[in-house]
Amino acid sequence: MQSRREREVRPRAGWMVMGKGAGGPSALEVGKILVVFLCLFPSVSLQCKILKCNSEFWASTSSSGPEEEFCTALRAYNNCVRRTARTCRGDLAYHSAQHGIEDLMSQNNCSKEGPTTQPRARTPAPPPQLQPDSQERSDGPEQCHYERSLHRQSSPPNYTHCGFFGDPHLRTFSDDFQTCKVEGAWPLVHNKYLSVQVTNTPVVPGSSATATSKLTIIFKNFQECVDQKMYHAETDELPAAFADGSKNGGDRHGANTLRIVEKVPGQQVEIHARYIGTTIVVRQVGRYLTFAVRMPEEVVNSVEDRDNQDLYLCLHGCPANQRIDFRTFRARAVEGHGLSRTGSPPHGFTYKAAMAKCKERLPVEDLYFQSCVFDLLSSGDVNFTMAAYYAFEDVKMLHSNKDKYHIYEKDAFGSNAAPRGSDVFSLVLLNFLAVLLFIYSPLPTSSSLC
C-alpha cells in the first residue's frame, strides 16, 4: 500500500456502560472494569451471551430521549442479564453488568417496576439523497475512499474473493477450492487492516466434517477514517452492530466509510469498509455461519509478518493435513461404502438422493454442487443445501470476473492437486523404464563421436 495509507494505531476506549445521567464515578468504574475484562477475556464473556445484552442496551440508548425510555431500556437490559444467570454465574462481566445496572438505576431514579418491553434501537432519519460523488465527499477525507485515494495514473484495482461455508468448504483469493477439517479456531484473513477468525465445531460426533459456529472480525484503526471495531457473530446471534453497539467506524471524519447493514434480520449482515475497498457478507444458514468477502488484491497482500502467514486460510488455503479428498469421499459414496450396518445411509441420504436434492438449487454440477452433495452425505442436514446455494450467490455478487463464478473439479484439482496413487505408480514406472534404457543402451563408439 502507499505510505499515506499506512494505518495509525491509537488506543481507544472500548465498551462502557453509559446513558442519561451516567456521569457518576461508580458507573464509569464499572464501565472500565468491563472494558478491561472484555478485551482480556473475550471468549469467556461471549460464551455466556452477556455481550448480546450489552450491545442491545447500547443500541437502544445511543440517542438521547425521554427519561422514561431510558429507564425502560435499563429494565429490559436487567431482564436480559438475569436470563443469562444460569450460564454466566461465574463470569466477572456478568457480575460487573449487574452492579452497573444498579448504579444506573440509582443515578437516573429508575424504578425496578415498570414497562420492560424490549426497546427498539433508534435509527436516525436518512440523509437527503445526493449525487454519488457528493455522497462520497460528505463521508470523509479522500484517503477514506479506497479507489479515490489511488494515484490517478494507476490502473483500476483488481478485486478478489474468498468464501467459507458448509462442512467447511473454502474458496481462496486465488480461486482454489478445498474441503477442510480445521476444527477449532482458525484465521481466514489477517493483514494490516483487518483480521477474521472462525471457530468450527464437529457437525456430527465422530466425523471429521466441521462447520462454523463463531466468527470474529476486527477492523483496525486507520488514519482519519475509522476507530478499531470488533464484530462478533455466533449461532443464533447475528447482530446488526459492532460489539460496542455502534453501526459505523466511530467518531473520526471518515467513520461512515465503515458501516454495517442488516439485510435479513438474524440471517444476513453486510459490512462495507469503503476505506479499504472491502465488502463482507456474513450469513446464518441453519445452525451455522457462512463468510464471503470482496477485497482488493493490494489489501489482500498487505500482510504485516510474512513469516507467520501460513495459516491465513483465504490466502494460502488449508494445511495439507487438514484437507479432505473430495474425490475419494465421492468414490466411496458411489460404491456404497458409506452405508451403515443395516445397509441404509448413515445420515439419511444416498448419493443419488443427495444429487437430486442439490440439483433443486444448484443445477450446474460445479464444485458448489459437489460440496452440497458432500455435506448432505456427511451430515444429513438439508440446510447445507442452502449454504452452498447462498455461497454461490455471494460469488455472483462479490467476484469481479463472471467467467470464474463456476469452479469445476479440473480447475480446482488440476495443477495444484496432490498426485493420486495411480499417478504416483505411473510416475515411478516411467522413471524405472528410463533408468533401464540408460543402462542397456549401447555406449557411443569413438568413431561415432567423431
Side-chain angles (χ1 to χ4, degrees):
M1 301 285 288
Q2 298 172 13
S3 59
R4 65 189 181 125
R5 294 192 61 81
E6 290 298 318
R7 65 185 178 88
E8 170 194 356
V9 179
R10 299 195 311 182
R12 299 289 299 175
W15 188 89
M16 187 174 290
V17 178
M18 296 183 68
K20 281 187 61 178
S26 56
L28 288 174
E29 288 170 5
V30 170
K32 290 175 182 176
I33 292 172
L34 284 171
V35 171
V36 173
F37 185 82
L38 291 173
C39 290
L40 294 178
F41 306 103
S43 60
V44 176
S45 58
L46 291 171
Q47 286 173 359
C48 77
K49 317 294 186 186
I50 192 67
L51 192 59
K52 181 182 180 184
C53 299
N54 297 343
S55 296
E56 288 177 350
F57 174 67
W58 177 276
S60 64
T61 58
S62 57
S63 302
S64 59
E67 188 172 333
E68 296 79 9
E69 287 189 20
F70 180 76
C71 290
T72 299
L74 198 53
R75 283 190 289 269
Y77 181 30
N78 187 43
N79 282 354
C80 182
V81 171
R82 288 174 62 185
R83 285 195 297 271
T84 69
R86 183 181 297 273
T87 54
C88 300
R89 186 72 64 184
D91 192 323
L92 180 58
Y94 163 75
H95 295 289
S96 298
Q98 280 187 314
H99 293 304
I101 290 169
E102 292 175 6
D103 285 347
L104 289 175
M105 280 193 165
S106 174
Q107 291 169 13
N108 292 276
N109 298 317
C110 295
S111 170
K112 292 186 178 180
E113 303 295 329
T116 57
T117 303
Q118 182 65 41
R120 291 178 297 178
R122 302 183 188 92
T123 54
Q129 294 295 319
L130 301 173
Q131 296 298 320
D133 186 63
S134 301
Q135 181 69 46
E136 283 194 1
R137 290 178 184 276
S138 70
D139 279 347
E142 186 174 274
Q143 66 263 34
C144 296
H145 297 274
Y146 180 73
E147 291 193 12
R148 292 173 60 86
S149 68
L150 299 176
H151 194 277
R152 296 185 186 280
Q153 307 300 323
S154 62
S155 58
N158 179 36
Y159 287 95
T160 60
H161 163 71
C162 176
F164 195 75
F165 67 98
D167 265 9
H169 310 283
L170 170 69
R171 179 172 182 157
T172 69
F173 285 125
S174 55
D175 292 316
D176 289 331
F177 197 98
Q178 301 166 359
T179 298
C180 310
K181 304 173 188 176
V182 290
E183 182 177 349
W186 290 80
L188 287 182
V189 177
H190 183 63
N191 56 46
K192 292 181 180 179
Y193 306 99
L194 79 161
S195 297
V196 181
Q197 178 176 289
V198 292
T199 300
N200 306 312
T201 53
V203 174
V204 178
S207 170
S208 60
T210 65
T212 302
S213 57
K214 294 183 182 181
L215 180 143
T216 301
I217 306 171
I218 296 176
F219 294 89
K220 303 172 187 180
N221 56 46
F222 176 70
Q223 293 184 4
E224 301 174 50
C225 306
V226 298
D227 299 326
Q228 178 162 305
K229 293 287 178 176
M230 182 181 82
Y231 180 79
H232 181 86
E234 55 187 274
T235 300
D236 296 329
E237 287 186 29
L238 192 66
F242 293 109
D244 62 3
S246 65
K247 294 193 174 187
N248 69 0
D251 299 324
R252 304 191 191 184
H253 294 306
N256 285 334
T257 59
L258 175 62
R259 287 174 177 256
I260 289 185
V261 180
E262 186 176 51
K263 291 294 186 179
V264 182
Q267 295 180 37
Q268 181 185 349
V269 167
E270 290 183 10
I271 304 177
H272 301 276
R274 287 193 291 162
Y275 66 102
I276 51 174
T278 297
T279 299
I280 294 173
V281 180
V282 181
R283 300 178 187 265
Q284 176 167 337
V285 185
R287 294 184 299 121
Y288 300 105
L289 305 177
T290 71
F291 168 85
V293 63
R294 180 180 192 259
M295 185 180 291
E297 196 171 55
E298 182 182 23
V299 176
V300 168
N301 293 316
S302 64
V303 295
E304 291 181 307
D305 183 0
R306 293 190 178 275
D307 293 333
N308 294 313
Q309 291 296 317
D310 290 346
L311 298 182
Y312 174 174
L313 301 188
C314 277
L315 186 61
H316 298 290
C318 299
N321 64 352
Q322 292 292 319
R323 299 181 191 178
I324 297 174
D325 190 338
F326 230 26
R327 294 165 300 188
T328 300
F329 181 90
R330 184 176 61 234
R332 290 175 60 85
V334 171
E335 294 169 8
H337 293 314
L339 299 180
S340 66
R341 291 180 181 177
T342 62
S344 61
H347 302 299
F349 279 93
T350 63
Y351 183 70
K352 184 178 290 187
M355 288 189 67
K357 186 65 180 176
C358 293
K359 276 279 187 182
E360 294 175 5
R361 288 286 181 174
L362 298 159
V364 178
E365 293 190 20
D366 61 359
L367 283 172
Y368 289 91
F369 171 85
Q370 298 292 351
S371 70
C372 171
V373 173
F374 173 92
D375 292 352
L376 289 184
L377 292 172
S378 60
S379 71
D381 186 347
V382 293
N383 288 306
F384 284 120
T385 304
M386 295 305 299
Y389 168 76
Y390 283 126
F392 185 67
E393 290 298 300
D394 290 338
V395 170
K396 293 192 288 185
M397 177 172 64
L398 301 175
H399 205 291
S400 59
N401 186 348
K402 68 178 183 179
D403 294 332
K404 293 185 177 181
Y405 287 174
H406 294 282
I407 300 182
Y408 298 93
E409 208 163 307
K410 57 182 175 59
D411 300 324
F413 299 115
S415 58
N416 296 327
R420 291 174 288 180
S422 59
D423 297 331
V424 172
F425 178 79
S426 300
L427 190 60
V428 171
L429 183 60
L430 285 172
N431 285 333
F432 179 71
L433 290 173
V435 171
L436 288 177
L437 287 171
F438 176 80
I439 292 174
Y440 291 104
S441 59
L443 292 174
T445 62
S446 57
S447 59
S448 64
L449 288 173
C450 297

